Amino acid sequence: MKTNLCKSHLALAVLAAIPALCSNPLLAQSAPAETVAETEVIEVKGFRSAIIKAKDLKREAMIAQDSIVAEDIADFPDLNLADSLQRVPGVTITREGGEGRQISLRGLGPDFTRVQVNGMEALGTSSSPMDARGGVSRSRAFDFNIFASELFNQIDVKKSYSADQEEGGIAGTVNLRTAKPFDYDGAQAAVSAQLGTNSNTDSTDPRIAGLLSNTWSDFGALVSVAYSDRETMEYGTNTTRWRREGGKTAADASNTELQAELDSGELWFPRGHRYSMWENEQKRLGVTAALQYKPGQDFSLVLDLMHGKLENTLSEHHHAVKDNSVVNELVWRENNGDKEVIYADYENATWRNENRQDYNESVFNQISLTADWTLSDTLKMRAMLGHSSSDYEQPRVNKLNIEAKKKVNIITDFTQDAFYGHSYSPDFDVTAVEGYTVKDLYFQSNFIYSDFDNARLDFDYYLTDSSALKFGANYKKFSNSGFQRVAQNFPTNPDTPQNQGVFTLTAEQAQLFSGHPDKSWLQGDMAALQAFYGLSNFALTDEYTVESSAYDLTEETQAAYLLYDTEYDVAGAPLRLNLGVRYFNTEITSAGLSKGVPTQLVRDYSDYLPSLNIAYEFIDDVIWRTGISKNMTRPSLGAMAFSANVSQTSLGENDIGQVSVGNPNLQPFESTNFDTALEWYFEDVGLASVALFYKDIDNFIVTETRQIVYRELGLPAALLPVGKTVDDIFNVSSPQNSDSSTIKGFELALQRDLDFLPAPFNNLGVIANYTWADANTLYRNVENSGEDQFKAFPGLSKQSYNLTLYYETASWGARIAAAYRSDYITGVESGSIDDDERGYHATTNVDFSAFYRLTDNIKLNLEAINLTNVRDELYSDSSNRAYNTTYSGRTYMAGVTVQF
């Protein structure tokens, strides 16, 4: 990687070339060209037909690729794009509210996968209500839950790299393709309607989608719409992690044995066990439109438009144990050499009950113009010009805490289930107002705005019937900005409009919460208490903007490539080969506050990315593939920004606060890649394959932590967590480039019809795949120990598999699918003394779907998601302690699809 001081004028050249594309398309029609036919998207019906089409796309690809194709018009195989992608070998997903959100590919996390919509790079941003799941996304990871699956008719997962691809995805590139008018023959229309529910809710959730398409000679138009409204509820328990603590006091001073144990500093206690529930009403709207002009096979001009909107209206409810410093009795167990307290009876402890209201919306818009033009019998051109935006706005995060402060006995018990503890008070009614007071009210809002401008020009020059020279250039501008607004510590805050300093809680200001399956408790009435303190109409205006959170990041990239593509016989068998190189230059402008001073940094970096790909069909229907390439991935957005975030997590008296800051000087990840595969194609559906992959990654990014006095950070005192001062020490973490790392693994896949079985079992089929991946990198100062340790990549499950069994006839069909991923870490802690890592336990999700055709045009369908109601277990520390355990429930959908 080298740094350049001057900026290329390539962007101007690309933009100047675009208007010429449509100057006279008839010229292309008159050329006596023998063109290479573009891949046609075939209308398919049924799951088996979709598998066949996806298999053909894989076979024809020059690189390692898997595809997913719609079963029918506006009928994708799963209700969610990420849920569909998890069936692809090497893909694992994270979930939010029971549905897929982000993907990892071949052991590399969501930041390493580049996502395109209709061939143009895009970013979709949403959030999780759970801090343990990362909260608001400030990364390059694409949130697939923004879109309804019905809007797309094909997904391509490109796992290896070729120089004609845009750089940026070390793990791979996922392209989401919407339908075009000439994908279909003449007039087409389809409408689907479903009603659903979830075992955790009593709601009836509608989901509707429709597509209308027609062609008139050389012109076609298509529009599709998808809308859903669903309610979700996740519930469980949380510990806010564990901590090795001394300094607790035995309730009975004469119990010297217990006091000695408490003073030993060897006991690990849950920091604050709590019951939690998250409710969400989610509305999702998607609209696509396409206008296509296609006077012949030599010219096509497509205008694509897309709009997606995801709205979440959330409420949270928590019932937490705090101030557990006086102990009557305890029981500990040995866990990995540690003494872990699994039962404790606390005296003069605190119940803290929090409820939160949250509204957020993610809005995605894209417009693109694409032209494919055969200029002559030897020259073909493709051009694209487009813009996309992804805006995330969270204007309302309102929190309210009430507490029974240091006045109750509480028993916390993990003896029956190490990952689902129970806490209760034998002599205190947690549902009655007596004993509770108001602790605080808190207001927050978050805003993130992202824009992509893309221009691309590609040429294919045919040297002979079996060889071509491909070359092109592209310009891309990416802008990302964001800020946060905060007002907190009411009614202590002197700016409280009325009743400042009054903490009394009355029955009229409280309400019973009984939504959690395991327990009921009292919580504050948000509206009543906001009115009592004069905060009913409180608005977070510009004056509440946290200046240190505001950032503005811009990346401008110019790139060009040259690729030689050829095919010839070797030992009487066809061998396809391409060899190319890509050059890119990226200029970064990062602006924000650094130690309280407005700062802007401008820098650039560039590199050459070579690639070689071979596909050799040395035996009929058996293909050997290999690829060697270099690629890169840019650091995450939050890591690159001049910004600082002060954690507002509740702290104990001796807890150290956490501050995270960005680092605009980060270098991108660089990777040298090797892929090879053996694929056997047989019968209609049949495919068996084995693939190996290896990546050598430089500039891996890890988090480093230093302890700094708060006042030295230049941050305002208003951001301090409750109980902290500017003279307190904070753990300040920032991303830094680290050492080289490697990742390696293999994939096994098999799919086939079981037509060798006797009827009626000959309509059965199976799809199975297994992926193994392994990678470690060196993390600094793990658990604030001063020691560096090798640990796995975040998001890497060492093992994953998918198994689908299907049965299909012309009139009805059904399938059941299981997706497994093994344990994986979400991060390694350099500043925390509570844990060295955090991650998730293994999960196996089982889904079911079925259809019945009443007529050729009317189909009934049934979907069941998460049949086993998987328990989602987030662990704290490599010693495997409970952090967050939730259930999201089973989802059922039934409906009808009609084609006209």
Side-chain angles (χ1 to χ4, degrees):
M1 181 79 55
K2 66 179 182 180
T3 301
N4 292 329
L5 299 178
C6 59
K7 188 173 174 181
S8 171
H9 296 288
L10 177 60
L12 296 177
V14 174
L15 292 172
I18 297 296
L21 298 179
C22 307
S23 58
N24 191 357
L26 295 178
L27 291 176
Q29 298 180 60
S30 61
E34 181 181 343
T35 65
V36 176
E38 62 184 40
T39 300
E40 178 187 3
V41 178
I42 301 171
E43 178 187 346
V44 292
K45 290 187 176 182
F47 184 66
R48 180 177 279 109
S49 297
I51 299 171
I52 294 171
K53 174 57 181 173
K55 184 191 81 168
D56 292 342
L57 290 169
K58 178 181 181 69
R59 180 171 184 166
E60 295 164 6
M62 189 65 232
I63 60 173
Q65 175 179 314
D66 287 286
S67 297
I68 307 169
V69 180
E71 297 179 30
D72 212 330
I73 300 174
D75 187 6
F76 216 68
D78 289 276
L79 298 178
N80 176 279
L81 289 176
D83 289 332
S84 289
L85 283 165
Q86 74 176 327
R87 317 292 179 203
V88 172
V91 174
T92 54
I93 69 172
T94 63
R95 290 177 171 82
E96 188 61 50
E99 70 171 358
R101 179 185 175 192
Q102 296 179 345
I103 71 167
S104 294
L105 180 55
R106 286 185 163 178
L108 290 169
D111 269 356
F112 292 91
T113 299
R114 195 171 61 93
V115 176
Q116 297 176 317
V117 177
N118 290 321
M120 192 175 83
E121 187 165 352
L123 179 67
T125 303
S126 68
S127 65
S128 169
M130 300 187 197
D131 294 335
R133 290 182 183 164
V136 179
S137 174
R138 300 182 186 274
S139 69
R140 295 184 191 269
F142 193 93
D143 289 331
F144 288 89
N145 57 347
I146 293 176
F147 298 123
S149 62
E150 294 93 337
L151 300 176
F152 302 90
N153 69 348
Q154 184 175 319
I155 300 177
D156 295 319
V157 182
K158 303 179 185 216
K159 301 177 182 177
S160 59
Y161 181 70
S162 178
D164 57 345
Q165 296 179 42
E166 292 181 27
E167 75 288 339
I170 286 177
T173 296
V174 175
N175 184 51
L176 312 177
R177 186 186 186 276
T178 60
K180 309 295 184 286
F182 282 93
D183 292 348
Y184 309 113
D185 184 15
Q188 298 282 345
V191 175
S192 67
Q194 291 180 305
L195 287 176
T197 190
N198 182 277
S199 58
N200 285 358
T201 69
D202 57 0
S203 60
T204 301
D205 303 328
R207 182 184 180 106
I208 57 174
L211 179 145
L212 181 62
S213 177
N214 202 0
T215 57
W216 301 270
S217 183
D218 300 338
F219 179 76
L222 178 149
V223 63
S224 67
V225 179
Y227 174 80
S228 63
D229 186 345
R230 72 181 190 120
E231 293 185 13
T232 66
M233 188 267 272
E234 292 188 80
Y235 72 89
T237 70
N238 184 297
T239 65
T240 325
R241 305 187 307 280
W242 295 61
R243 175 165 295 173
R244 184 167 51 197
E245 293 182 310
K248 292 185 184 293
T249 304
D252 181 358
S254 65
N255 191 341
T256 56
E257 183 179 352
L258 174 59
Q259 188 61 58
E261 242 182 344
L262 294 171
D263 290 339
S264 69
E266 297 177 350
L267 298 176
W268 286 81
F269 289 86
R271 292 182 57 202
H273 179 252
R274 70 179 186 181
Y275 296 90
S276 296
M277 197 180 87
W278 296 264
E279 298 174 293
N280 185 17
E281 181 184 4
Q282 183 183 85
K283 297 181 180 180
R284 179 164 44 210
L285 172 67
V287 181
T288 73
L291 302 176
Q292 187 172 10
Y293 175 58
K294 191 174 182 180
Q297 292 300 313
D298 296 332
F299 185 81
S300 174
L301 182 67
V302 180
L303 177 67
D304 280 306
L305 300 101
M306 185 171 186
H307 170 77
K309 184 175 183 179
L310 179 70
E311 295 181 87
N312 294 298
T313 303
L314 303 112
S315 60
E316 293 182 32
H317 314 271
H318 306 287
H319 181 51
V321 179
K322 297 292 182 182
D323 301 318
N324 53 346
S325 57
V326 180
V327 182
N328 277 311
E329 181 186 1
L330 61 80
V331 176
W332 58 265
R333 67 168 184 177
E334 184 175 345
N335 178 14
N336 196 28
D338 295 332
K339 296 179 178 180
E340 186 175 291
V341 176
I342 57 173
Y343 176 92
D345 183 346
Y346 302 110
E347 187 174 299
N348 295 330
T350 297
W351 281 116
R352 183 179 300 168
N353 302 341
E354 174 189 331
N355 53 311
R356 164 176 157 169
Q357 296 175 351
D358 177 357
Y359 172 82
N360 64 74
E361 63 179 37
S362 302
V363 178
F364 178 90
N365 289 296
Q366 178 174 298
I367 179 171
S368 63
L369 181 67
T370 305
D372 289 275
W373 191 1
T374 302
L375 297 167
S376 71
D377 58 351
T378 59
L379 186 62
K380 214 177 151 181
M381 182 186 74
R382 178 179 176 85
M384 186 272 292
L385 184 68
H387 171 81
S388 70
S389 64
S390 178
D391 298 338
Y392 173 83
E393 295 187 341
Q394 189 182 36
R396 182 178 75 239
V397 181
N398 298 348
K399 297 181 184 179
L400 166 64
N401 282 288
I402 65 172
E403 61 183 359
K405 181 73 172 176
K406 293 186 176 181
K407 61 178 63 175
V408 296
N409 291 345
I410 300 176
I411 294 173
T412 296
D413 187 354
F414 283 87
T415 58
Q416 301 303 308
D417 188 335
F419 268 77
Y420 205 97
H422 291 278
S423 293
Y424 56 94
S425 285
D427 54 2
F428 182 82
D429 186 357
V430 297
T431 66
V433 72
E434 291 78 14
Y436 282 109
T437 58
V438 176
K439 180 183 182 292
D440 59 17
L441 290 85
Y442 174 93
F443 301 87
Q444 178 182 309
S445 58
N446 296 281
F447 303 88
I448 301 174
Y449 302 100
S450 300
D451 291 274
F452 268 107
D453 292 306
N454 287 265
R456 181 176 177 124
L457 189 59
D458 300 278
F459 292 93
D460 294 352
Y461 180 65
Y462 295 95
L463 303 171
T464 67
D465 290 342
S466 60
S467 63
L469 196 62
K470 300 182 179 183
F471 56 95
N474 73 282
Y475 168 80
K476 179 169 58 183
K477 181 179 180 180
F478 173 58
S479 303
N480 179 259
S481 61
F483 61 91
Q484 184 183 81
R485 292 172 178 164
V486 172
Q488 60 184 342
N489 299 331
F490 301 99
T492 304
N493 191 323
D495 294 331
T496 306
Q498 62 191 44
N499 296 312
Q500 190 267 334
V502 177
F503 300 96
T504 305
L505 182 70
T506 66
E508 293 74 21
Q509 297 167 340
Q511 55 191 202
L512 178 66
F513 176 73
S514 55
H516 197 288
D518 298 321
K519 196 165 187 182
S520 299
W521 60 85
L522 195 76
Q523 67 179 19
D525 185 314
M526 185 85 72
L529 283 165
Q530 287 180 355
F532 179 73
Y533 295 116
L535 298 168
S536 295
N537 299 314
F538 182 80
L540 287 168
T541 53
D542 288 347
E543 64 183 292
Y544 293 100
T545 298
V546 180
E547 292 186 356
S548 60
S549 73
Y551 69 94
D552 197 332
L553 178 68
T554 302
E555 292 176 342
E556 287 189 76
T557 298
Q558 299 91 33
Y561 73 92
L562 181 65
L563 185 77
Y564 177 67
D565 199 346
T566 188
E567 179 177 346
Y568 51 91
D569 285 346
V570 174
L575 183 145
R576 292 176 288 154
L577 177 148
N578 69 32
L579 174 66
V581 64
R582 183 178 194 85
Y583 170 80
F584 75 92
N585 175 273
T586 297
E587 181 182 272
I588 302 171
T589 303
S590 183
L593 284 182
S594 178
K595 295 187 177 180
V597 178
T599 305
Q600 177 173 292
L601 180 144
V602 180
R603 67 182 184 90
D604 75 338
Y605 54 86
S606 61
D607 205 355
Y608 291 91
L609 305 175
S611 70
L612 169 66
N613 291 282
I614 298 171
Y616 182 33
E617 191 171 350
F618 62 97
I619 302 174
D620 287 348
D621 299 323
V622 178
I623 297 176
W624 168 68
R625 297 184 191 274
T626 193
I628 303 171
S629 64
K630 183 179 179 182
N631 201 352
M632 53 83 73
T633 288
R634 296 176 174 91
S636 70
L637 303 173
M640 295 279 289
F642 269 122
S643 64
N645 177 61
V646 182
S647 174
Q648 297 299 319
T649 302
S650 298
L651 300 174
E653 294 179 3
N654 299 317
D655 291 349
I656 298 177
Q658 306 287 329
V659 178
S660 58
V661 298
N663 179 6
N665 288 301
L666 287 172
Q667 294 297 316
F669 300 87
E670 296 177 334
S671 177
T672 301
N673 316 299
F674 173 74
D675 302 85
T676 190
L678 197 62
E679 302 164 358
W680 175 34
Y681 297 86
F682 58 95
E683 300 176 351
D684 289 337
V685 171
L687 168 63
S689 66
V690 56
L692 307 176
F693 57 89
Y694 177 88
K695 300 178 188 294
D696 189 350
I697 303 174
D698 290 328
N699 301 328
F700 204 87
I701 296 172
V702 298
T703 299
E704 295 186 4
T705 300
R706 298 177 297 156
Q707 291 193 338
I708 302 175
V709 176
Y710 187 86
R711 67 168 65 252
E712 297 176 8
L713 297 172
L715 300 175
L719 296 180
L720 285 166
V722 175
K724 295 299 179 183
T725 72
V726 295
D727 296 316
D728 285 326
I729 292 175
F730 278 68
N731 285 323
V732 180
S733 60
S734 64
Q736 303 291 332
N737 288 113
S738 182
D739 303 281
S740 298
S741 304
T742 60
I743 183 169
K744 58 188 175 184
F746 65 87
E747 297 170 354
L748 304 175
L750 173 67
Q751 63 185 48
R752 68 159 300 158
D753 286 334
L754 303 182
D755 48 6
F756 56 86
L757 296 174
F761 304 106
N762 58 331
N763 290 312
L764 283 167
V766 65
I767 303 172
N769 59 70
Y770 171 85
T771 302
W772 179 88
D774 187 36
N776 289 284
T777 194
L778 186 65
Y779 295 89
R780 310 294 190 191
N781 188 27
V782 174
E783 203 173 0
N784 207 27
S785 64
E787 295 182 1
D788 301 340
Q789 296 181 21
F790 283 97
K791 288 182 176 289
F793 288 4
L796 184 148
S797 288
K798 202 161 190 175
Q799 300 183 76
S800 61
Y801 68 76
N802 293 277
L803 179 62
T804 300
L805 182 68
Y806 62 89
Y807 186 94
E808 189 170 82
T809 69
S811 58
W812 72 276
R815 66 181 182 269
I816 187 165
Y820 167 84
R821 70 177 301 184
S822 61
D823 296 0
Y824 65 97
I825 68 171
T826 58
V828 175
E829 298 300 314
S830 64
S832 170
I833 62 172
D834 300 331
D835 46 11
D836 57 357
E837 66 182 46
R838 296 169 197 168
Y840 282 93
H841 284 166
T843 56
T844 303
N845 280 73
V846 180
D847 303 328
F848 172 83
S849 65
F851 75 88
Y852 179 77
R853 290 191 181 274
L854 293 176
T855 69
D856 286 344
N857 297 323
I858 302 176
K859 182 175 71 172
L860 304 179
N861 53 71
L862 174 68
E863 306 273 352
I865 301 168
N866 191 20
L867 279 173
T868 57
N869 192 17
V870 171
R871 189 163 92 169
D872 204 31
E873 294 179 349
L874 175 66
Y875 69 85
S876 171
D877 197 73
S878 55
S879 294
N880 195 30
R881 300 184 180 92
Y883 186 170
N884 192 49
T885 300
T886 57
Y887 294 91
S888 59
R890 303 171 178 86
T891 296
Y892 305 97
M893 304 285 292
V896 60
T897 300
V898 181
Q899 293 186 27
F900 304 95

